[in-house]
Amino acid sequence: MMQARFCGWLVMAAMLLAQAASAQTFPSKPIRLVVPFAAGGPADTIARAVAERMQAIVKQSVVIDNRAGAGGAVGTKAVAMAEPDGYTIGISTAGALAISVSMQEAIGYDPRKDLRALTLAASVPELLVVGSKVPVTSLPELLALAKAKPGTLNFASSGAGSMPHLAGELLKQYGQVDMAHVPYRGAAPAVTDLIAGQVELMFMDIAVLLPHVQAGTIKAIAIGSATRSPSLPDLPTTAELGLPKVVADNWYGIVAPRATPQPIVDKLHAALVEALRSPEVKDKLALQGAIVVANKPEEFAAYIVSEIDKWAAVVKAANIKTN
């Protein structure tokens, strides 16, 4: 018995020594940053900005690996299943890390058990807008119109279970209004129909809608966030307008496989935070309407859990069907 226990201690000691040695030399080869969406989208743009600065910090290449599919679940699962050696990390979103847990029965991973939070990279406010022909210019007026004509206003989204969809459901719930949801395959066709007057309103990432607001083809009503956006500093938030629970920030965070050793997590976190807080990355993310967060791993982990609970309640209250 003592001999077996001694052998176990030797194995554990050897593992700890190996991890320590690995952490000291990390990184000694390129790091793969998985993006669970196609090239050119917001997640990809943010990842490439971070990767470019990060590789100058760690003195190794940071290679982007686009793994699109299932609303980000395919690429996020690839990170969860990767070797936990620090050489595979991924950027993921509220959809793949918080909403999909309630919306999809089998995503192949549990964000709380299979992934290690590194940092919440950035937050992107959802902007609430209406079509130019909708006879309202403020959130109170919109709610009054919806209550006067229950079930007749249509709100668009980039897809069932997307952040814009659930933001609309939050508005219905806490604004106590009845509106119909019209899901689209992506943001572009939804915005096209909003401008054409086929639908009356929508929430969407501020960077997607801002050019149309500035052109006057749609009207901005509120920022669906707890704080105002630097992109539209004069526009009040839903919280300021009496709906503090209608907060639907989209967000992007960096994760690693769950068993990644703590010393390597510490090195990755330090490099990511330095990259995110650099002026050049902040400026690039600002063009996406994104606000850099760069918090601690434990803070991001707690935030993921809170977001899972929040959106699970919304999905249940709205009776959104999972696939």
PDB file of all heavy atoms in Angstrom, residues 80-81 97 101 108-117 256-260 301 304-305 308:
ATOM      1  N   ALA A  80     -12.471  23.391 -26.782  1.00  0.00           N
ATOM      2  CA  ALA A  80     -12.713  22.571 -25.588  1.00  0.00           C
ATOM      3  C   ALA A  80     -12.051  21.198 -25.700  1.00  0.00           C
ATOM      4  O   ALA A  80     -11.582  20.640 -24.701  1.00  0.00           O
ATOM      5  CB  ALA A  80     -14.216  22.414 -25.359  1.00  0.00           C
ATOM      6  N   MET A  81     -11.995  20.650 -26.920  1.00  0.00           N
ATOM      7  CA  MET A  81     -11.457  19.307 -27.131  1.00  0.00           C
ATOM      8  C   MET A  81      -9.961  19.304 -27.427  1.00  0.00           C
ATOM      9  O   MET A  81      -9.349  18.241 -27.558  1.00  0.00           O
ATOM     10  CB  MET A  81     -12.188  18.636 -28.305  1.00  0.00           C
ATOM     11  CG  MET A  81     -13.694  18.463 -28.112  1.00  0.00           C
ATOM     12  SD  MET A  81     -14.111  17.339 -26.741  1.00  0.00           S
ATOM     13  CE  MET A  81     -14.681  18.533 -25.510  1.00  0.00           C
ATOM     14  N   LEU A  97     -21.104  30.716 -25.770  1.00  0.00           N
ATOM     15  CA  LEU A  97     -20.694  30.447 -24.391  1.00  0.00           C
ATOM     16  C   LEU A  97     -21.842  30.561 -23.387  1.00  0.00           C
ATOM     17  O   LEU A  97     -21.721  30.060 -22.268  1.00  0.00           O
ATOM     18  CB  LEU A  97     -19.578  31.404 -23.969  1.00  0.00           C
ATOM     19  CG  LEU A  97     -18.225  31.205 -24.644  1.00  0.00           C
ATOM     20  CD1 LEU A  97     -17.242  32.278 -24.193  1.00  0.00           C
ATOM     21  CD2 LEU A  97     -17.657  29.814 -24.357  1.00  0.00           C
ATOM     22  N   VAL A 101     -26.264  27.074 -24.642  1.00  0.00           N
ATOM     23  CA  VAL A 101     -26.503  26.084 -23.588  1.00  0.00           C
ATOM     24  C   VAL A 101     -27.996  25.835 -23.416  1.00  0.00           C
ATOM     25  O   VAL A 101     -28.425  24.704 -23.149  1.00  0.00           O
ATOM     26  CB  VAL A 101     -25.881  26.558 -22.261  1.00  0.00           C
ATOM     27  CG1 VAL A 101     -26.193  25.590 -21.133  1.00  0.00           C
ATOM     28  CG2 VAL A 101     -24.377  26.722 -22.405  1.00  0.00           C
ATOM     29  N   GLY A 108     -22.110  19.732 -27.566  1.00  0.00           N
ATOM     30  CA  GLY A 108     -20.877  18.956 -27.479  1.00  0.00           C
ATOM     31  C   GLY A 108     -19.889  19.432 -26.436  1.00  0.00           C
ATOM     32  O   GLY A 108     -18.793  18.870 -26.325  1.00  0.00           O
ATOM     33  N   TYR A 109     -20.241  20.434 -25.671  1.00  0.00           N
ATOM     34  CA  TYR A 109     -19.354  20.927 -24.617  1.00  0.00           C
ATOM     35  C   TYR A 109     -20.196  21.706 -23.606  1.00  0.00           C
ATOM     36  O   TYR A 109     -21.306  22.163 -23.912  1.00  0.00           O
ATOM     37  CB  TYR A 109     -18.264  21.845 -25.190  1.00  0.00           C
ATOM     38  CG  TYR A 109     -18.813  23.083 -25.880  1.00  0.00           C
ATOM     39  CD1 TYR A 109     -18.986  24.280 -25.179  1.00  0.00           C
ATOM     40  CD2 TYR A 109     -19.178  23.061 -27.227  1.00  0.00           C
ATOM     41  CE1 TYR A 109     -19.508  25.405 -25.794  1.00  0.00           C
ATOM     42  CE2 TYR A 109     -19.692  24.182 -27.844  1.00  0.00           C
ATOM     43  CZ  TYR A 109     -19.868  25.347 -27.129  1.00  0.00           C
ATOM     44  OH  TYR A 109     -20.387  26.451 -27.757  1.00  0.00           O
ATOM     45  N   ASP A 110     -19.658  21.855 -22.413  1.00  0.00           N
ATOM     46  CA  ASP A 110     -20.272  22.678 -21.384  1.00  0.00           C
ATOM     47  C   ASP A 110     -19.284  23.797 -21.059  1.00  0.00           C
ATOM     48  O   ASP A 110     -18.186  23.528 -20.567  1.00  0.00           O
ATOM     49  CB  ASP A 110     -20.563  21.852 -20.128  1.00  0.00           C
ATOM     50  CG  ASP A 110     -21.318  22.639 -19.058  1.00  0.00           C
ATOM     51  OD1 ASP A 110     -21.170  23.870 -19.005  1.00  0.00           O
ATOM     52  OD2 ASP A 110     -22.041  22.006 -18.260  1.00  0.00           O
ATOM     53  N   PRO A 111     -19.633  25.054 -21.354  1.00  0.00           N
ATOM     54  CA  PRO A 111     -18.686  26.156 -21.111  1.00  0.00           C
ATOM     55  C   PRO A 111     -18.196  26.226 -19.671  1.00  0.00           C
ATOM     56  O   PRO A 111     -17.077  26.681 -19.423  1.00  0.00           O
ATOM     57  CB  PRO A 111     -19.511  27.403 -21.468  1.00  0.00           C
ATOM     58  CG  PRO A 111     -20.572  26.913 -22.393  1.00  0.00           C
ATOM     59  CD  PRO A 111     -20.892  25.524 -21.937  1.00  0.00           C
ATOM     60  N   ARG A 112     -19.009  25.761 -18.734  1.00  0.00           N
ATOM     61  CA  ARG A 112     -18.639  25.832 -17.316  1.00  0.00           C
ATOM     62  C   ARG A 112     -17.663  24.737 -16.926  1.00  0.00           C
ATOM     63  O   ARG A 112     -16.932  24.883 -15.936  1.00  0.00           O
ATOM     64  CB  ARG A 112     -19.893  25.739 -16.450  1.00  0.00           C
ATOM     65  CG  ARG A 112     -20.852  26.901 -16.614  1.00  0.00           C
ATOM     66  CD  ARG A 112     -22.258  26.559 -16.210  1.00  0.00           C
ATOM     67  NE  ARG A 112     -22.855  25.572 -17.109  1.00  0.00           N
ATOM     68  CZ  ARG A 112     -24.155  25.283 -17.139  1.00  0.00           C
ATOM     69  NH1 ARG A 112     -24.985  25.906 -16.332  1.00  0.00           N
ATOM     70  NH2 ARG A 112     -24.614  24.376 -17.979  1.00  0.00           N
ATOM     71  N   LYS A 113     -17.641  23.610 -17.662  1.00  0.00           N
ATOM     72  CA  LYS A 113     -16.826  22.466 -17.278  1.00  0.00           C
ATOM     73  C   LYS A 113     -15.685  22.162 -18.237  1.00  0.00           C
ATOM     74  O   LYS A 113     -14.679  21.570 -17.839  1.00  0.00           O
ATOM     75  CB  LYS A 113     -17.718  21.218 -17.172  1.00  0.00           C
ATOM     76  CG  LYS A 113     -18.801  21.326 -16.112  1.00  0.00           C
ATOM     77  CD  LYS A 113     -19.670  20.076 -16.117  1.00  0.00           C
ATOM     78  CE  LYS A 113     -20.781  20.162 -15.082  1.00  0.00           C
ATOM     79  NZ  LYS A 113     -21.649  18.954 -15.109  1.00  0.00           N
ATOM     80  N   ASP A 114     -15.845  22.528 -19.503  1.00  0.00           N
ATOM     81  CA  ASP A 114     -14.888  22.103 -20.531  1.00  0.00           C
ATOM     82  C   ASP A 114     -13.960  23.209 -21.015  1.00  0.00           C
ATOM     83  O   ASP A 114     -13.068  22.952 -21.827  1.00  0.00           O
ATOM     84  CB  ASP A 114     -15.642  21.523 -21.735  1.00  0.00           C
ATOM     85  CG  ASP A 114     -16.488  20.320 -21.347  1.00  0.00           C
ATOM     86  OD1 ASP A 114     -16.035  19.545 -20.485  1.00  0.00           O
ATOM     87  OD2 ASP A 114     -17.601  20.164 -21.895  1.00  0.00           O
ATOM     88  N   LEU A 115     -14.175  24.429 -20.549  1.00  0.00           N
ATOM     89  CA  LEU A 115     -13.363  25.554 -21.017  1.00  0.00           C
ATOM     90  C   LEU A 115     -12.792  26.338 -19.846  1.00  0.00           C
ATOM     91  O   LEU A 115     -13.400  26.405 -18.780  1.00  0.00           O
ATOM     92  CB  LEU A 115     -14.206  26.486 -21.894  1.00  0.00           C
ATOM     93  CG  LEU A 115     -14.615  25.915 -23.253  1.00  0.00           C
ATOM     94  CD1 LEU A 115     -15.744  26.726 -23.850  1.00  0.00           C
ATOM     95  CD2 LEU A 115     -13.428  25.875 -24.214  1.00  0.00           C
ATOM     96  N   ARG A 116     -11.633  26.923 -20.061  1.00  0.00           N
ATOM     97  CA  ARG A 116     -10.983  27.759 -19.064  1.00  0.00           C
ATOM     98  C   ARG A 116     -11.095  29.214 -19.527  1.00  0.00           C
ATOM     99  O   ARG A 116     -10.593  29.573 -20.604  1.00  0.00           O
ATOM    100  CB  ARG A 116      -9.511  27.355 -18.929  1.00  0.00           C
ATOM    101  CG  ARG A 116      -8.757  28.038 -17.790  1.00  0.00           C
ATOM    102  CD  ARG A 116      -9.132  27.424 -16.461  1.00  0.00           C
ATOM    103  NE  ARG A 116      -8.382  28.031 -15.362  1.00  0.00           N
ATOM    104  CZ  ARG A 116      -7.233  27.551 -14.888  1.00  0.00           C
ATOM    105  NH1 ARG A 116      -6.696  26.453 -15.444  1.00  0.00           N
ATOM    106  NH2 ARG A 116      -6.629  28.118 -13.874  1.00  0.00           N
ATOM    107  N   ALA A 117     -11.763  30.034 -18.758  1.00  0.00           N
ATOM    108  CA  ALA A 117     -11.889  31.448 -19.106  1.00  0.00           C
ATOM    109  C   ALA A 117     -10.543  32.143 -18.965  1.00  0.00           C
ATOM    110  O   ALA A 117      -9.861  31.980 -17.950  1.00  0.00           O
ATOM    111  CB  ALA A 117     -12.921  32.108 -18.196  1.00  0.00           C
ATOM    112  N   ALA A 256      -9.684  28.781 -23.221  1.00  0.00           N
ATOM    113  CA  ALA A 256      -8.723  27.709 -23.484  1.00  0.00           C
ATOM    114  C   ALA A 256      -9.335  26.401 -23.004  1.00  0.00           C
ATOM    115  O   ALA A 256     -10.350  26.402 -22.290  1.00  0.00           O
ATOM    116  CB  ALA A 256      -7.413  27.987 -22.750  1.00  0.00           C
ATOM    117  N   PRO A 257      -8.737  25.256 -23.366  1.00  0.00           N
ATOM    118  CA  PRO A 257      -9.215  23.986 -22.809  1.00  0.00           C
ATOM    119  C   PRO A 257      -9.149  23.991 -21.288  1.00  0.00           C
ATOM    120  O   PRO A 257      -8.257  24.614 -20.694  1.00  0.00           O
ATOM    121  CB  PRO A 257      -8.245  22.959 -23.407  1.00  0.00           C
ATOM    122  CG  PRO A 257      -7.751  23.595 -24.659  1.00  0.00           C
ATOM    123  CD  PRO A 257      -7.674  25.059 -24.364  1.00  0.00           C
ATOM    124  N   ARG A 258     -10.061  23.301 -20.647  1.00  0.00           N
ATOM    125  CA  ARG A 258     -10.218  23.366 -19.203  1.00  0.00           C
ATOM    126  C   ARG A 258      -8.946  23.015 -18.431  1.00  0.00           C
ATOM    127  O   ARG A 258      -8.625  23.651 -17.423  1.00  0.00           O
ATOM    128  CB  ARG A 258     -11.344  22.408 -18.772  1.00  0.00           C
ATOM    129  CG  ARG A 258     -11.628  22.402 -17.282  1.00  0.00           C
ATOM    130  CD  ARG A 258     -12.203  23.714 -16.841  1.00  0.00           C
ATOM    131  NE  ARG A 258     -12.510  23.755 -15.429  1.00  0.00           N
ATOM    132  CZ  ARG A 258     -13.074  24.791 -14.823  1.00  0.00           C
ATOM    133  NH1 ARG A 258     -13.401  25.860 -15.517  1.00  0.00           N
ATOM    134  NH2 ARG A 258     -13.308  24.764 -13.532  1.00  0.00           N
ATOM    135  N   ALA A 259      -8.226  21.987 -18.870  1.00  0.00           N
ATOM    136  CA  ALA A 259      -7.084  21.486 -18.102  1.00  0.00           C
ATOM    137  C   ALA A 259      -5.781  22.238 -18.376  1.00  0.00           C
ATOM    138  O   ALA A 259      -4.715  21.795 -17.956  1.00  0.00           O
ATOM    139  CB  ALA A 259      -6.882  19.999 -18.384  1.00  0.00           C
ATOM    140  N   THR A 260      -5.845  23.360 -19.044  1.00  0.00           N
ATOM    141  CA  THR A 260      -4.636  24.143 -19.286  1.00  0.00           C
ATOM    142  C   THR A 260      -3.991  24.527 -17.951  1.00  0.00           C
ATOM    143  O   THR A 260      -4.659  25.070 -17.079  1.00  0.00           O
ATOM    144  CB  THR A 260      -4.969  25.416 -20.078  1.00  0.00           C
ATOM    145  OG1 THR A 260      -5.636  25.060 -21.301  1.00  0.00           O
ATOM    146  CG2 THR A 260      -3.705  26.199 -20.416  1.00  0.00           C
ATOM    147  N   ALA A 301     -15.017  33.999 -15.858  1.00  0.00           N
ATOM    148  CA  ALA A 301     -15.693  32.726 -15.578  1.00  0.00           C
ATOM    149  C   ALA A 301     -17.027  32.969 -14.865  1.00  0.00           C
ATOM    150  O   ALA A 301     -18.045  32.356 -15.207  1.00  0.00           O
ATOM    151  CB  ALA A 301     -14.792  31.829 -14.739  1.00  0.00           C
ATOM    152  N   ILE A 304     -19.587  34.389 -17.346  1.00  0.00           N
ATOM    153  CA  ILE A 304     -20.167  33.368 -18.223  1.00  0.00           C
ATOM    154  C   ILE A 304     -21.318  32.661 -17.511  1.00  0.00           C
ATOM    155  O   ILE A 304     -22.405  32.475 -18.081  1.00  0.00           O
ATOM    156  CB  ILE A 304     -19.102  32.351 -18.665  1.00  0.00           C
ATOM    157  CG1 ILE A 304     -18.090  33.006 -19.609  1.00  0.00           C
ATOM    158  CG2 ILE A 304     -19.743  31.145 -19.349  1.00  0.00           C
ATOM    159  CD1 ILE A 304     -16.896  32.124 -19.947  1.00  0.00           C
ATOM    160  N   VAL A 305     -21.106  32.274 -16.267  1.00  0.00           N
ATOM    161  CA  VAL A 305     -22.157  31.589 -15.501  1.00  0.00           C
ATOM    162  C   VAL A 305     -23.379  32.490 -15.338  1.00  0.00           C
ATOM    163  O   VAL A 305     -24.527  32.046 -15.518  1.00  0.00           O
ATOM    164  CB  VAL A 305     -21.631  31.143 -14.127  1.00  0.00           C
ATOM    165  CG1 VAL A 305     -22.764  30.608 -13.255  1.00  0.00           C
ATOM    166  CG2 VAL A 305     -20.553  30.077 -14.288  1.00  0.00           C
ATOM    167  N   ILE A 308     -25.226  32.644 -18.649  1.00  0.00           N
ATOM    168  CA  ILE A 308     -25.962  31.396 -18.904  1.00  0.00           C
ATOM    169  C   ILE A 308     -27.289  31.410 -18.156  1.00  0.00           C
ATOM    170  O   ILE A 308     -28.347  31.109 -18.719  1.00  0.00           O
ATOM    171  CB  ILE A 308     -25.117  30.170 -18.488  1.00  0.00           C
ATOM    172  CG1 ILE A 308     -23.955  29.972 -19.463  1.00  0.00           C
ATOM    173  CG2 ILE A 308     -25.981  28.905 -18.440  1.00  0.00           C
ATOM    174  CD1 ILE A 308     -22.966  28.903 -19.041  1.00  0.00           C
TER     175      ILE A 308
END
